[in-house]
Structures are given as structure tokens and as C-alpha cells.
Amino acid sequence: MLLIFLAAMLHFSVARPVVRSIRSAHEFDRLLNKHATETGLPVVVDFYSDGCGPCRMMAPIFKKVAADYADKAVFVKVDTNAQHELSSRYQIRSLPTFQWFIGGKRSDEAKGGIGEGPLRQMTDKAIRQAEIENVQLELEHLMTYFSEVNPEKTAADVENVYNKCVEMNKKGSRCQGSAANNLVRKLRKKYKKSPKTTALFSAEAKKSKESSDTKPTQKSKPKEKPSTGPNLHLATKEQLQEELEKRLDEERDAQVENETDEEEEALDDHYSWVPGPFPERVTIVGGGPAGLAAAVYAARAGLTPLVIAPSMGGQLQGKGVDVENYPGLHNVTGPAVISAMRKQAAFFGTVFEEDMVTKIDASQRPLRVFTNATGAIETHSIIVATGADSKWLGIEGEYDLRGGGVSSCATCDGFLYSGKHVLVVGGGDAAAEDAMHLARFAKVTVIHRRDAFRASKVLADRVKNHPNIKIKWNTVVDKIVGKAIEQTEGEDVDLDNVAKVVTGAVLRGVESEELHEINCDAVFIAIGHIPNTAFLQGVVDFDPEHNGYVQTVGQSTKTSVAGIFAAGDVSDAVYRQAITSAGSGAAAALDAERWLSEEGLGNEAAEFEAELLAEIMDNSSDHAEAGSGYNAYEDAGGRMSGMKETVTSEL
């Protein structure tokens, strides 16, 4: 017991977050420099925002990958809402954005919810590149090499070759990294032999980095040593500033040791699904208001529902403005509402699987749900509550400039354009909410193809009266214009994937057909949504009057297939509100519960346990009556006497 306690205490003393939160540009620069000059490890950065749905989806994946690569790379996260300088410096225009740094230089970039596979692949690529560049060519070895392959070269000539390599490195005073590799490659091609190289960063240096990052946090009495710092009474301003930065760095390093991962709280608010030997009774596809309301009702009915959905939480998860049209909620954002719904559903027994459903097989019973990672899941009933995805304009420049200023999530990417001019395309509630959100920190122009908003009167009036919002009526966007980003000095240029950013848009008058260009830094598309029902094609019937929407029977949530129910925006082409989605989710759970009862599909696991226990009890009773129960005294050879004990008496 003592050993277990000591081991636990040791683990506690060295525990540290696998993903470090960056609190300042100075801290980030210091970290890059440290790993560029001391360890050679690549640095992987997650630029995120708390109000961004894809950011929340990627957070646990980023942490998982960071834990797997803890000794091969360094993982950090940067909150773009707090670190404006870093967001501007690295031209972050879409969230989340992942960047990889090798030797202090940015080597790669990916935008959006890329998933675990691409994140691992690009990290593996960075690690391989860092290992390749972990090389140095010393002048002494170069001298020895030329004395063997070309003795006519003078020492001055060899030094000249070496110095050119050092100049190509652009930092430090050694021939190292890619410059050293290029020189070695050229020499091998010319002389058919390579000079001796050594590792720039030893394994011991990396281990010392890990030990310093995970040093015990318990306080120990420091050894007294003479001060080598400046006398603060006589120090200059520069010395005082240097000493202050040094002490702040030390405090920040000590603070990092005691940090816990912020994502832990997000991961603790639900229970993970564990496959069992029996089919699920209710499987809910979708994690928005409809899916979670269905989960609460089904869980309270004792059905232990399984919710399959990514952690994004649907459209409400990406709503950065307060949710004002949901009774009982005041000054609460969309992500907070989803989080509360998940906690409530989990409290009553809902289990969660973070995955995407790809298809449903209704040709046999039980039904089967197929996902990207988990595979096939058998279930007796299914509630489809997958919501809807944003519509796009389908115009020139829209696809190419996604991630460079074209976005459908103002909450995710809006703050990156503080103080800039942005366009919002649309005239419904979504467009009005996006415009109001962006107007907090940017200049907004709303582009609407009609002469009046379709949004609710309250929202429409707010947009019309906001001083930071202008409106262009009877206008559409014909084209989105952009330009290539200028690369910073010393940065590797990928000619196949040149990053571009929005610089403007070409507008067309609906009545006049006249074209004119407007300058802007971003274009936010808010023209409605398309139901996420592609995986149901050929499975259930669709509404003939509303393309993509599932057709339900009468006023119920039943579909054309028994045991499959639809809730929320997948079947509601009229209202499409969070509260109506939650209501239909509750109705779907009630319909599913009644259907299961009518079909006689109960708790198979509990029924199996009850039957097994009853069978055991019956067998035990038979043995007791026949007197043939187990007798320990008979096993002893009859040498003992006493009361005979049977299995029945023990039971």
C-alpha cells in the first residue's frame, strides 16, 4: 500500500500538461528558440478559440496525439482571442489552424477540423524532417575530408566552403541543418564520398529537456549562491528590463508545471460508450439540441441511449452570441447550452461515441449503424438528429479562399478580423446574428439579394440600427477576389499550395445588373443550411416538396422505416429553431420508447441476467431436494463427521 502511495505521489509531482498554453508572444518566441537551439524537436501549434465548434472537436484529438508524441515533438496551443500579436504575425484567418515549426521556422500548415489522421501524418512529416536536419558538419572534419579527396585544396579554400554553409544557415555560427545536408549531398556527388557529420542535438539533450519540463514541483530549500545579476540600485533601464523578463520567465515556467489540461473538464462531462453483447435499444445520431433532448428523455425512460456525434454540437455550438430565444436561458452562449445538455443527458445514463455516421443498414433486424472509426453498431431503434450544414454560394473564388477569409462561421473566425472590413452574405436570422456578432469588433457590410430581411423583426431592427453595419439591398456577390500571402524572410515556400487571402468581392445589382468591386478582408456566408441526410439516401423516404428533408408520418417523428425516427432540422423545413428541434427530439424519444414497447424489445441484458439467475436457482433447488449437493466431508474420505452443507444452504 505504501508503494502505491509513493508511486502516486511521484506521478503527481512530475505530472504536467501534454499541451502547453501560450500566454504571451514572448513566451512563444522563447519556446521556439529553446527547441531550435537546444533540442531540435519540432513544435506543433494549435491556434484556436473557445467559441469555435471545430476547435472544440479537435482539442481532445490534439491532446491525444500530443500524448503519443510526447518525446518526439512539442505541442502548444494559442488562444487567438487573447494572443492578437501571434495571430497577426502568423496570418491566422481561419480556426482552428495548425502550424508546424522546425528550427524556429514554420514548415507546414493545416486549417479546419482536419481530424486525427492528417494531424498524425503531418506531425510524422515534421519529426522526420527534424531528424534529417539534426546534423552538423564541423570544420575539422571538413578539413580531414578534403585532405583525403582533394589534397590540393588549401585550408583557406576549405574555410571558405565552410563559411558559405554557415551563411546559408542564417542563424548560429555552424554549418548545420539543411545547409549541411545540401553541402554533404554536393560533395558526395562530386567525390563519391561523404564527409563525417555528427548529430547537432544529442539524445541526452532531449532527455534533459524532458526532465526539465517534468521536474518535481515540490519545494526544496535552494542552495545559497552568490548573485551574478546586476545590482538593482545601480542597474540601467535595460538591465532592469532584462532582469524583469528573466523573473517573469521563471514564474511562467513554474506556473506551467502546475497547470492542468483545460480540456479535462470538457472530457469529463460525458461517458464513453463501451460495446456490449446485445444491440443498443436507442441510438441517436447527432449531438445538437434535438439529439441531446432525445437523449435526456430516452435516458430518463431507462433506455441508456447511445449518442453518436462529433463533439462540435451542431449549429448551436457555433453560436457566439447569447441565446435569447430559448425560454429560461439568459446571457448564455450556444456552446454553454450544448455543454449543459450533454451533462444532463450523461447524468441520467446517456453514453457517447465521438464519431461520424456514414450509413444505415435497414435491410435486417436489428438495424445497423456504420461509422468512420467504430465500425458497425447494432441497434433496435435510431433517432436521426444530424441537423444541417451551411450552404455555399458556389461562385468563383469561394472555394479557393476558404480558410483565407471565406468562412461560414463568424463565431469561429470573426475575431481574427478585428478592426477590419468584412461582408456578411444573407438576409435571414443566421446572417443577422453573424452581422451583430462581427459588428462588436469589425466594420460590417451586409449583402442581401432582396429589399427586406427575412430575419425576425427584433434581429432585423438591430442590424438596421447598428452604427457599424451597412446594408446593400438587391445585391448579390458574383466573385470573391484574393491575393497570395507574402512569405516571411527565411520561410520555406510551397509553390504547389500558395496561401491566399481575401482582398475584395465583385458585387452585382439584381435589377441593374451593374458590377462593381468592394474592398474587404473577409466574406462570411450565411444563406441557410442543407440537411445532413445524405447517409439516409435509399433508406427512408424524403419530403418531395423540400429537397433533402426526411418525410415523417403525420404529426409523429416516425419515418417510412419502422424503428427509425427523425428530429430537428433534418425533418423541419419550416421553423428550424433550437427550441423546436429540442421539442421534436423529445417527441422522437417518446415515439421510440412506445415503438420498442409495442415490439416487445426490452432490456435484453437485464432479461438475460434474470433468466440465468432463475436457472441457477432452479438447479440449486433440484440438487437440494435430491440430497446430491456438494459435500466437503465426503471429499475428505469419510474420516470426518458433521453437518452436510449443500450449495443451496450456501446460497
Side-chain angles (χ1 to χ4, degrees), residues 381-539:
S381 65
I382 300 171
I383 296 176
V384 179
T386 46
D389 273 343
S390 300
K391 286 183 181 179
W392 294 94
L393 295 170
I395 59 176
E396 183 181 349
E398 181 184 53
Y399 182 82
D400 295 338
L401 290 165
R402 287 190 199 179
V406 174
S407 173
S408 63
C409 183
T411 305
C412 303
D413 305 332
F415 201 79
L416 302 172
Y417 301 93
S418 296
K420 298 182 179 180
H421 180 215
V422 300
L423 304 185
V424 174
V425 183
D429 282 349
E433 289 175 348
D434 285 357
M436 291 298 298
H437 173 73
L438 293 166
R440 296 174 180 174
F441 42 77
K443 297 178 181 178
V444 181
T445 299
V446 177
I447 310 297
H448 187 38
R449 60 179 178 173
R450 296 189 174 94
D451 58 1
F453 283 130
R454 292 179 293 109
S456 63
K457 187 178 186 305
V458 172
L459 282 174
D461 289 343
R462 288 180 184 174
V463 171
K464 293 176 183 177
N465 298 324
H466 201 289
N468 285 349
I469 300 177
K470 294 182 179 180
I471 306 170
K472 287 188 175 294
W473 305 104
N474 299 312
T475 305
V476 296
V477 181
D478 251 22
K479 176 182 177 182
I480 301 176
V481 183
K483 68 175 183 179
I485 298 177
E486 296 181 2
Q487 302 294 326
T488 57
E489 185 178 354
E491 189 175 31
D492 295 333
V493 179
D494 186 355
L495 296 178
D496 294 327
N497 298 289
V498 178
K500 296 180 180 180
V501 295
V502 170
T503 58
V506 177
L507 307 181
R508 174 171 56 84
V510 174
E511 299 174 352
S512 65
E513 294 293 329
E514 292 181 358
L515 298 176
H516 70 278
E517 187 169 340
I518 183 172
N519 295 327
C520 63
D521 299 287
V523 179
F524 291 91
I525 313 298
I527 57 172
H529 297 82
I530 301 175
N532 290 316
T533 54
F535 66 97
L536 292 173
Q537 291 290 341
V539 179

Side-chain angles (χ1 to χ4, degrees), residues 38-284:
E38 297 179 18
T39 69
L41 294 175
V43 177
V44 188
V45 187
D46 173 14
F47 291 92
Y48 75 101
S49 169
D50 286 330
C52 164
C55 297
R56 288 173 175 256
M57 179 193 75
M58 287 300 300
I61 297 174
F62 190 74
K63 181 187 172 185
K64 178 183 177 183
V65 174
D68 293 342
Y69 290 90
D71 58 341
K72 297 180 180 179
V74 178
F75 290 76
V76 300
K77 55 185 180 181
V78 176
D79 185 352
T80 55
N81 290 336
Q83 304 304 324
H84 305 154
E85 181 181 343
L86 292 176
S87 302
S88 176
R89 181 196 302 176
Y90 295 107
Q91 299 175 328
I92 306 302
R93 298 176 179 271
S94 179
L95 295 178
T97 291
F98 301 94
Q99 293 186 350
W100 287 258
F101 291 81
I102 301 175
K105 297 192 302 182
R106 183 171 55 185
S107 63
D108 218 336
E109 182 181 69
K111 299 178 180 179
I114 60 176
E116 183 175 346
L119 182 62
R120 288 184 180 275
Q121 292 171 7
M122 299 183 78
T123 302
D124 284 330
K125 177 184 174 183
I127 292 172
R128 289 194 300 269
Q129 185 62 32
E131 290 173 349
I132 291 173
E133 295 191 8
N134 182 25
V135 61
Q136 64 176 338
L137 177 60
E138 298 179 4
L139 179 59
E140 177 185 353
H141 294 151
L142 193 61
M143 289 283 191
T144 303
Y145 172 77
F146 272 106
S147 66
E148 296 174 358
V149 299
N150 191 356
E152 296 180 359
K153 285 278 187 181
T154 64
D157 293 335
V158 176
E159 287 185 12
N160 186 40
V161 173
Y162 183 82
N163 289 334
K164 287 182 178 180
C165 176
V166 173
E167 292 173 2
M168 290 177 63
N169 187 44
K170 293 185 179 180
K171 64 191 313 183
S173 58
R174 294 179 292 188
C175 176
Q176 65 185 55
S178 57
N181 281 322
N182 289 334
L183 178 57
V184 169
R185 192 179 303 111
K186 291 178 180 179
L187 293 175
R188 182 172 61 247
K189 183 178 180 180
K190 183 174 182 179
Y191 296 107
K192 310 302 180 184
K193 183 179 180 180
S194 300
K196 179 183 178 181
T197 58
T198 56
L200 181 60
F201 305 103
S202 63
E204 288 74 15
K206 295 182 180 181
K207 288 181 180 178
S208 66
K209 168 261 173 187
E210 292 170 16
S211 61
S212 67
D213 282 352
T214 58
K215 60 186 177 183
T217 59
Q218 62 265 31
K219 295 182 179 179
S220 58
K221 186 177 180 180
K223 295 181 179 179
E224 293 184 2
K225 57 181 180 180
S227 175
T228 58
N231 186 328
L232 298 183
H233 295 288
L234 304 176
T236 64
K237 289 183 179 180
E238 290 75 12
Q239 289 174 319
L240 287 172
Q241 182 66 29
E242 182 180 353
E243 183 67 17
L244 177 61
E245 289 183 357
K246 178 183 176 183
R247 295 188 183 186
L248 289 174
D249 290 343
E250 291 173 352
E251 287 181 7
R252 176 59 184 144
D253 288 339
Q255 184 184 12
V256 168
E257 304 300 335
N258 296 319
E259 278 186 353
T260 56
D261 286 304
E262 296 171 2
E263 291 89 356
E264 291 294 340
E265 296 181 3
L267 295 175
D268 288 341
D269 68 349
H270 66 275
Y271 300 106
S272 297
W273 172 69
V274 178
F278 298 98
E280 302 296 326
R281 282 176 287 172
V282 178
T283 297
I284 301 168

